[in-house]
Amino acid sequence: SPQEIARENHLNDLRKIHEMAGSFYHNCLTKTGYGKDGLEYLHGRGITDQIIEEFKLGFAPDAWNKLSTAFLKRDVPAKLLLDGGLGMMRQGGGVYDRFRNRVMIPIMDERGCIVAFGGRVLGQGEPKYLNSPETAIFNKRKLLFGLDKAKKAIQQEGFALVVEGYMDAISLHQRGITN
């Protein structure tokens, strides 16, 4: 039906902007001065550049509108940023970035497509971790972080290790514990 086609197109658009956001944040971390503190934090936690690449880790600049401005310039509708949980509505109108001054951890579905983000604040800010809200493509109760990278090893080993946080899973993966 036309409604089903419109819904599928909207889901595809949400998936596309999450992949774009993943690239934006990753480039901010690895190719700009914005990511200097984020790289220091990750390297200080023992995270290698190889793992940064593999998990597509990134950094959200300490600004209210870097992502939203870049996306609006690329004709991404503000409503899509809001629907995807990447932006928030200003009281006077307009959109601002949900994530600022945070190491960005893409949350991927079982196929390895980015559907949400977890952002780790640098310094003493609150909350320590800010996660994407639930959206049409992200239901946190139905998704296990890192499963896209662990499923083959889980099948081979015959069991899964479940840990509390993103960095726990990433650290284990780096040390060769990939199930």
Side-chain angles (χ1 to χ4, degrees):
S1 73
Q3 293 84 4
E4 291 170 328
I5 292 170
R7 176 169 164 67
E8 192 59 38
N9 287 339
H10 184 65
L11 294 175
N12 287 335
D13 288 344
L14 288 174
R15 289 181 190 105
K16 181 179 176 183
I17 67 159
H18 277 80
E19 290 296 328
M20 289 170 56
S23 293
F24 176 89
Y25 293 137
H26 183 71
N27 288 339
C28 284
L29 178 70
T30 61
K31 297 180 180 177
T32 73
Y34 294 125
K36 178 181 173 281
D37 292 339
L39 275 175
E40 285 178 14
Y41 168 80
L42 290 168
H43 290 155
R45 294 277 311 254
I47 304 300
T48 65
D49 290 340
Q50 178 182 341
I51 292 295
I52 289 170
E53 290 297 321
E54 186 174 341
F55 279 83
K56 300 179 185 177
L57 301 178
F59 187 75
D62 191 12
W64 288 95
N65 64 352
K66 287 291 184 194
L67 178 90
S68 54
T69 298
F71 278 35
L72 293 170
K73 283 182 182 176
R74 294 178 74 185
D75 296 323
V76 173
K79 181 174 180 353
L80 204 54
L81 292 172
L82 297 170
D83 290 350
L86 296 169
M88 298 179 69
M89 182 63 76
R90 291 186 195 279
Q91 284 184 349
V95 176
Y96 66 93
D97 298 352
R98 174 178 301 274
F99 300 102
R100 295 174 303 283
N101 197 34
R102 292 178 180 272
V103 168
M104 298 301 293
I105 302 162
I107 301 170
M108 299 177 198
D109 64 16
E110 66 279 353
R111 295 169 295 170
C113 298
I114 300 171
V115 295
F117 293 91
R120 168 59 159 94
V121 72
L122 295 181
Q124 300 299 318
E126 291 292 327
K128 184 176 178 179
Y129 280 94
L130 178 64
N131 298 309
S132 292
E134 291 199 359
T135 66
I137 61 170
F138 174 58
N139 180 326
K140 63 183 171 185
R141 288 176 290 288
K142 294 183 178 182
L143 193 144
L144 185 62
F145 176 77
L147 184 59
D148 60 305
K149 295 183 179 27
K151 62 185 172 187
K152 184 176 178 182
I154 291 169
Q155 289 172 338
Q156 290 172 344
E157 297 290 332
F159 68 97
L161 293 173
V162 180
V163 295
E164 182 182 2
Y166 307 123
M167 294 305 290
D168 299 326
I170 291 168
S171 295
L172 286 175
H173 192 90
Q174 178 170 291
R175 286 161 180 79
I177 302 169
T178 58
N179 61 323

